[in-house]
């Protein structure tokens, strides 16, 4: 044996798993505050100390799509069945962001009928997700 490393990424990035876990924990904190995990790609709100959260969420969606399509692991951002289960356990939305947008727009229209405006407070008690969506 000459000591050849087959999995170089594990040698170069030994903390890759803990980095993923750290972002996952940040996403859980985001959900606790906003009631959802649909982080805008360029989000820089409360988690300004971790402005990469939105990009990380976007990468998870891309990784999922590539993983399910059977593409090379290097294109999957480390996605695995275990990570899919973890993300789904907190309500992660893999798919149609247009559908999510349309659903939130309908809720905003209902808010306008009730209150006469679209100035939803960020921490709107009746629907934290709507308040977050409008203010992001």
């Amino acid at each position: 044996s000459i000591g050849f490393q087959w999995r170089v990424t594990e040698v170069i990035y030994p903390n890759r798993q803990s980095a993923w876990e750290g972002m996952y924990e940040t996403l859980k904190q985001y959900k606790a505050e906003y009631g959802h995990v649909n982080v805008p790609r360029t989000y820089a709100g409360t988690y300004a100390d971790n402005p990469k959260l939105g990009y990380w969420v976007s990468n998870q969606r891309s990784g999922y799509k590539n993983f399910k399509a059977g593409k090379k692991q290097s294109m999957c951002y480390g996605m695995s069945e275990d990570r899919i289960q973890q993300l789904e356990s907190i309500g992660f939305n893999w798919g149609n962001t247009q559908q999510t947008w349309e659903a939130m727009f309908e809720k905003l229209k209902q808010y306008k009928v009730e209150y006469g405006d679209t100035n939803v407070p960020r921490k709107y008690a009746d629907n934290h997700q709507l308040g977050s969506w409008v203010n992001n």
Side-chain angles (χ1 to χ4, degrees):
S1 171
I2 61 171
F4 186 80
Q5 295 289 330
W6 289 102
R7 302 200 71 166
V8 176
T9 55
E10 292 173 3
V11 175
I12 297 172
Y13 305 108
N15 296 321
R16 184 171 274 181
Q17 177 67 21
S18 61
W20 190 92
E21 292 293 336
M23 292 303 286
Y24 176 71
E25 289 302 317
T26 301
L27 182 60
K28 289 185 352 185
Q29 292 168 4
Y30 179 95
K31 182 180 181 175
E33 184 167 341
Y34 295 105
H36 65 87
V37 293
N38 296 321
V39 184
R41 184 178 177 113
T42 57
Y43 178 73
T46 303
Y47 298 97
D49 60 326
N50 198 343
K52 296 180 181 179
L53 182 61
Y55 288 105
W56 182 84
V57 166
S58 179
N59 286 343
Q60 299 315 296
R61 288 191 181 100
S62 295
Y64 174 83
K65 179 179 156 191
N66 290 338
F67 180 78
K68 290 298 185 181
K71 295 197 176 177
K72 292 188 295 185
Q73 188 62 31
S74 63
M75 297 177 67
C76 296
Y77 298 99
M79 189 54 63
S80 65
E81 289 296 337
D82 182 54
R83 287 181 176 179
I84 290 168
Q85 288 176 359
Q86 283 184 272
L87 290 164
E88 287 178 347
S89 76
I90 61 170
F92 198 86
N93 176 358
W94 296 111
N96 194 338
T97 54
Q98 179 66 28
Q99 189 177 46
T100 301
W101 189 93
E102 290 169 4
M104 294 308 293
F105 185 66
E106 287 302 315
K107 290 179 183 185
L108 180 60
K109 290 193 308 190
Q110 292 169 2
Y111 181 93
K112 184 174 182 179
V113 167
E114 186 171 342
Y115 295 100
D117 62 44
T118 57
N119 301 321
V120 183
R122 180 177 295 278
K123 294 191 177 189
Y124 177 48
D126 291 346
N127 189 334
H128 289 283
Q129 189 174 4
L130 179 62
S132 175
W133 183 77
V134 167
N135 286 282
N136 279 324

